[in-house]
Amino acid sequence: MNGRDLVRSMKVIGSAGAAQRLLTVGAAWRRRRADAMALPARGAERARVPGLVQDVEPGPGGGTIRFSRSELMIRVAVNGAVFWGWDGVGPEPSYALGGRCPEADPRAVLEPDKDGGWRVVAERVTVVVSRHGAIEVRTPGGVALRRDLPPRWWESAGCGPGRWMQRSEVAADARFFGLGGRASGPRLRAGTYRLWNTDPGRAFGRGDDPLYLTMPAHLVVADAATHLAFHDTSWDGSVKLREGEEGAGSGHDRAGTSELRMDGGPLRCWVMVGTPARVLLTWASLTGAPALPPAWALGHHAGGFGGEQEVRRVVAGHQERGLPLDAVHLGADHLDDRQVFTVDQERFAKLPVLAEELRRDGVRVVSIVDPAVRASPGGAVHDSGVAEDAFVREASGRLVEGVVRAGRSVYPDFTHARVRRWWCGLYAEGIAQGFSGFWHHMNEPTSFTAFGEATLPRSARHALEGRGGDHREAHNVYGLCMAQAGYEGLRELLPGERPFVLSRSGWAGLQRYGGTWFGDLAPGWPGLRASLSLVLGLGLCGVPYSGPDVGGSDGGSSPELYLRWLQLGAYLPLFRTHAGPRAGRREPWAFGPEVLEHARVALVERRRLLPYFLTLAHLARRTGAPYVRPLWWGAPEDRALRDCEDAFLLGDCLLVAPVLDAGVDRRAVRLPRGLWYDTATGKPYEGPGQVLVDAPLGRIPVLARAGAVVPVRGEDGGLELEVWVPARGRTGGGLVVRDAGDGWEEPEIERYVARWDGVRGVVVEREGEDGVREPSYPVRVRGLGGSAQM
């Protein structure tokens, strides 16, 4: 341990007692000592490159190309994704895959190419491998999208895994997105991004990196096509990105580059090519369909309560003021001495009664769950975990201990199927207390030994599904495996309800089990802007259900900032306001009557749009398309849209332009092609282009696409269709999914078309296999002079 780590270890506890500070220092020393004893010194290294092609072996969807010092497996799957793996590695085993690896495409054949290279031609992509091991991905028309140079390995002369590096080139006009949750996004500029899930240990802002959920998957958007590249290894590493530069017609373009460096693990990659919608569909078919949240989870959540009376006060405050509320989230203060799954009977003496009363009023209760288990014999979870041999051990066989708010703690090994089954059963205690869902916290995993570093010794042993390995490989998938345990536990304990699981940390495939929130966001305007960046970036990595704590994690939000954050949150998938010991009282009425009235408008609008959010949730499950999409989603070739980071599309129908700076009452909005209506005034705007739109304190600009059919909640609580007048001579439409509630029934997708009729004006019809018929819901036509009931 160096001096910096020692100082940080002593500071992170803040106002905690001296005894706990000493525990953190001791834990840091133990971790350092365990790694020094168990991890081999790297010592001298030997560099290696593939060499020249020696021979090939065709196989399903591609084949194997053998070089003088390595071999390359390449295969095109039936879903259009391309896989390649060096040194004989295949696509399995993998924590990212949502099931078995997709079958190979029998139409894709390995064949000779010029200059001694080889190629595989598939329906959507052509892959060319040079005789030196460079891999080029091209469109069917032959346009190069990506060129991976021959990789390089550095192998220890003694023992231990080798590190490796992969340099890649993309088009000069390309832009990078993704890599998990990045506060500086959504467009990733030149810089180095670490691939190591990290609790920053404090409130973070727009420039902080890495954060809780990293992912070695980046989306590249260029004129020719969009592609996603995923390097399937969970080891620590970094990606260095640099955007290209075009030569202004001179022909001297500079390619964009990415340089991936990993400390170990297999060198294997998946690439998906097409439109953004096609790429995300392929990604979802590979890593798993997003979990469908229960209907109530798409409403308004409030978090951060210290006791039962406080919960009752806040719920009553919402009800008395006519503010919609669908869930309350209890933090660590509701646990007995902060022990996992054990409710504090002094603060919540009759929690099941409270939960049932709130449920009758339409409010669900959600519990926090940390992975760390207090290391105190006599605790029910601790003792059953010891009996199950469930906890992570050092290489010496000793239990790994960290320090969290509960004190000395041990950590379950979620990479073992038996441990996940044991953990699944623990949720029964929470269900008995009346909880409807759980949010997983500090599961990077985090300890107070040294934030920003591995919280467990890197030499700590993990099962890794029977393969065996250490924390260097298991760290990034720890939160993912915990989310799997939670999701499977709730499916078993509440078979009639869709599970609600939030996980602060995760990895590729997290969407299979639930969503995420963004932890300790700084409360200033940069934190507000980072909220949007994180939602957009995670959506492009296949995690569509996410959101911030409105107002940030700590106190300090001005009334204006709080209101603007609330207005943005009302249009994000996870809409959670936050209050608590650090944040202070931040209910909408705490900022005065003006903020309260404007907040009511935002909250009521979210309730009105719930049918639309439910439709987007079902579409995300079926197609992988995120609810929140960048403006270039439907037109990635539009470079002006590619560079726009202060607005987004909510599904296909709405464009939301939040206010992200102080003192703004009018803002510029970049529009995609087509006719758009200001939903507040009905004023039409023609795109593509940039327009100035009013943004008074009471609302943020929201525009509807001409012809859009949006399912909304009517005044009587029933479903209505809000239809925006299509442009003359054009048609529009929309999709509606009638969700029955929280169950597993797969409802039908209803398709509606809006068109002009010379006699009747705007006509809305439902299209189905049995032809066209009138809609079964009330229709409200809006645009061009107001609204009219049909």
Side-chain angles (χ1 to χ4, degrees):
M1 166 181 271
N2 59 32
R4 182 185 62 181
D5 283 346
L6 181 60
V7 171
R8 294 176 77 191
S9 297
M10 297 181 68
K11 284 185 175 180
V12 291
I13 301 302
S15 60
Q20 193 166 28
R21 288 199 295 271
L22 288 175
L23 284 176
T24 64
V25 174
W29 279 113
R30 286 195 301 273
R31 187 195 65 174
R32 182 73 172 180
R33 185 176 65 248
D35 285 346
M37 295 175 62
L39 293 180
R42 187 172 294 276
E45 293 180 318
R46 178 177 55 250
R48 173 169 62 92
V49 293
L52 295 175
V53 171
Q54 301 295 304
D55 61 74
V56 301
E57 181 182 340
T64 300
I65 304 174
R66 295 185 178 88
F67 297 81
S68 58
R69 289 181 290 277
S70 185
E71 68 177 41
L72 172 68
M73 173 195 287
I74 186 165
R75 184 171 76 172
V76 179
V78 289
N79 62 2
V82 180
F83 170 83
W84 64 76
W86 287 95
D87 285 353
V89 300
E92 297 178 349
S94 169
Y95 279 106
L97 297 183
R100 295 305 304 269
C101 180
E103 297 292 326
D105 185 349
R107 299 169 297 175
V109 179
L110 184 64
E111 59 188 31
D113 196 50
K114 61 184 180 180
D115 297 328
W118 294 79
R119 68 180 181 182
V120 179
V121 180
E123 180 181 5
R124 300 178 195 144
V125 66
T126 298
V127 184
V128 178
V129 182
S130 78
R131 62 193 178 100
H132 295 284
I135 304 174
E136 191 168 280
V137 178
R138 302 174 181 171
T139 67
V143 178
L145 298 177
R146 180 184 192 87
R147 185 172 188 266
D148 282 13
L149 303 178
R152 182 180 296 269
W153 295 265
W154 288 269
E155 298 166 331
S156 174
C159 59
R163 57 192 180 94
W164 52 267
M165 180 266 289
Q166 175 72 74
R167 287 196 179 101
S168 307
E169 297 177 348
V170 298
D173 67 280
R175 297 289 183 263
F176 296 101
F177 301 86
L179 293 179
R182 304 288 170 173
S184 58
R187 174 182 161 196
L188 302 177
R189 266 96 172 160
T192 300
Y193 301 87
R194 191 178 177 194
L195 298 168
W196 189 252
N197 292 345
T198 304
D199 180 352
R202 54 180 169 74
F204 69 89
R206 191 159 168 77
D208 291 304
D209 192 88
L211 298 174
Y212 313 98
L213 201 166
T214 67
M215 200 182 300
H218 62 273
L219 193 77
V220 182
V221 183
D223 287 352
T226 298
H227 76 270
L228 184 148
F230 168 57
H231 288 85
D232 191 357
T233 177
S234 60
W235 285 65
D236 191 2
S238 64
V239 182
K240 184 177 181 180
L241 300 177
R242 187 189 69 179
E243 293 180 346
E245 292 183 2
E246 295 181 285
S250 67
H252 297 288
D253 292 351
R254 189 192 74 187
T257 60
S258 66
E259 181 180 287
L260 177 64
R261 291 179 177 267
M262 303 299 295
D263 285 351
L267 203 175
R268 56 184 180 180
C269 182
W270 287 91
V271 173
M272 287 133 268
V273 175
T275 64
R278 168 63 67 179
V279 168
L280 267 294
L281 174 63
T282 306
W283 178 243
S285 71
L286 186 70
T287 61
L292 185 65
W296 58 265
L298 292 166
H300 171 218
H301 304 230
F305 304 99
E308 179 177 336
Q309 294 308 312
E310 189 176 355
V311 171
R312 291 186 180 278
R313 179 187 66 79
V314 171
V315 172
H318 281 80
Q319 293 171 341
E320 293 166 2
R321 296 169 175 84
L323 304 177
L325 181 64
D326 298 275
V328 293
H329 291 222
L330 304 186
D333 289 339
H334 86 280
L335 299 173
D336 184 17
D337 209 9
R338 298 183 182 271
Q339 294 197 63
V340 64
F341 294 112
T342 307
V343 173
D344 186 331
Q345 293 301 314
E346 292 187 5
R347 287 193 172 110
F348 291 90
K350 297 180 180 180
L351 183 56
V353 175
L354 171 65
E356 180 58 31
E357 290 177 2
L358 295 182
R359 187 165 183 150
R360 286 198 297 267
D361 289 336
V363 180
R364 306 298 181 106
V365 183
V366 178
S367 173
I368 195 171
V369 177
D370 289 357
V373 176
R374 186 169 180 175
S376 55
V381 177
H382 174 270
D383 290 354
S384 67
V386 170
E388 288 281 344
D389 190 21
F391 299 121
V392 177
R393 294 182 179 272
E394 297 178 2
S396 65
R398 175 181 175 178
L399 287 180
V400 169
E401 287 190 4
V403 179
V404 292
R405 293 184 180 91
R408 290 173 45 248
S409 300
V410 290
Y411 296 80
D413 181 7
F414 293 116
T415 70
H416 197 307
R418 172 176 53 78
V419 176
R420 290 197 297 271
R421 286 195 298 272
W422 164 73
W423 191 262
C424 284
L426 299 180
Y427 290 86
E429 174 65 22
I431 298 300
Q433 295 290 332
F435 293 120
S436 298
F438 298 86
W439 53 299
H440 293 174
H441 192 245
M442 301 183 76
N443 58 338
E444 290 72 36
T446 291
S447 169
F448 292 154
T449 54
F451 283 104
E453 300 295 330
T455 57
L456 307 187
R458 293 190 173 224
S459 58
R461 304 302 299 170
H462 290 266
L464 291 167
E465 316 309 325
R467 294 180 287 112
D470 59 39
H471 196 65
R472 293 174 295 177
E473 183 177 359
H475 176 84
N476 280 339
V477 297
Y478 190 88
L480 173 71
C481 293
M482 183 184 179
Q484 179 183 356
Y487 180 84
E488 292 174 351
L490 293 184
R491 284 214 62 171
E492 182 176 334
L493 294 165
L494 297 171
E497 298 183 18
R498 302 196 291 261
F500 177 76
V501 176
L502 288 181
S503 180
R504 190 171 78 169
S505 184
W507 202 62
L510 176 66
Q511 74 277 358
R512 301 192 295 264
Y513 311 120
T516 184
W517 91 106
F518 305 145
D520 294 335
L521 263 170
W525 291 94
L528 169 60
R529 190 174 288 270
S531 298
L532 179 54
S533 298
L534 287 158
V535 172
L536 283 165
L538 284 164
L540 295 174
C541 289
V543 183
Y545 184 72
S546 69
D549 281 334
V550 167
S553 61
D554 297 315
S557 292
S558 68
E560 180 190 9
L561 173 59
Y562 176 84
L563 181 58
R564 292 307 195 187
W565 211 321
L566 185 78
Q567 291 167 340
L568 168 62
Y571 293 96
L572 299 180
L574 172 63
F575 180 28
R576 186 171 89 164
T577 52
H578 182 73
R582 289 187 302 164
R585 297 267 49 93
R586 291 196 306 193
E587 292 80 26
W589 54 88
F591 294 91
E594 182 182 15
V595 170
L596 173 61
E597 288 307 308
H598 295 328
R600 180 182 290 108
V601 171
L603 290 167
V604 169
E605 179 65 5
R606 174 59 175 243
R607 174 66 59 88
R608 193 180 77 92
L609 288 174
L610 276 181
Y612 186 49
F613 275 94
L614 276 166
T615 294
L616 295 178
H618 280 275
L619 294 178
R621 178 167 180 79
R622 300 187 191 199
T623 69
Y627 312 19
V628 169
R629 308 165 187 177
L631 292 187
W632 48 259
W633 178 260
E637 71 283 354
D638 188 328
R639 299 189 181 186
L641 295 180
R642 256 187 245 165
D643 295 338
C644 182
E645 301 178 282
D646 61 356
F648 61 91
L649 299 174
L650 182 61
D652 286 331
C653 297
L654 300 179
L655 187 157
V656 182
V659 173
L660 303 176
D661 297 294
V664 171
D665 59 8
R666 200 174 192 214
R667 59 152 294 175
V669 179
R670 175 70 60 179
L671 296 180
R673 184 177 301 277
L675 184 65
W676 298 83
Y677 296 100
D678 186 323
T679 57
T681 65
K683 182 178 179 179
Y685 297 93
E686 187 72 36
Q690 184 169 280
V691 297
L692 287 176
V693 181
D694 289 336
L697 188 62
R699 62 178 173 86
I700 57 175
V702 178
L703 294 97
R705 191 188 302 270
V709 178
V710 184
V712 298
R713 189 173 186 265
E715 293 182 1
D716 62 354
L719 191 146
E720 293 182 355
L721 300 181
E722 185 173 83
V723 180
W724 290 89
V725 175
R728 294 284 180 173
R730 295 184 177 273
T731 61
L735 303 175
V736 178
V737 179
R738 285 280 298 192
D739 189 275
D742 299 341
W744 294 97
E745 180 182 353
E746 288 285 348
E748 178 187 0
I749 296 180
E750 302 173 6
R751 303 176 184 275
Y752 291 88
V753 174
R755 59 181 177 84
W756 276 102
D757 182 280
V759 177
R760 294 185 292 168
V762 177
V763 175
V764 181
E765 297 171 322
R766 178 180 174 183
E767 291 185 335
E769 295 180 356
D770 55 349
V772 175
R773 61 177 185 268
E774 294 291 323
S776 54
Y777 315 116
V779 175
R780 181 177 297 275
V781 178
R782 298 190 62 190
L784 296 183
S787 61
Q789 183 75 31
M790 294 179 60

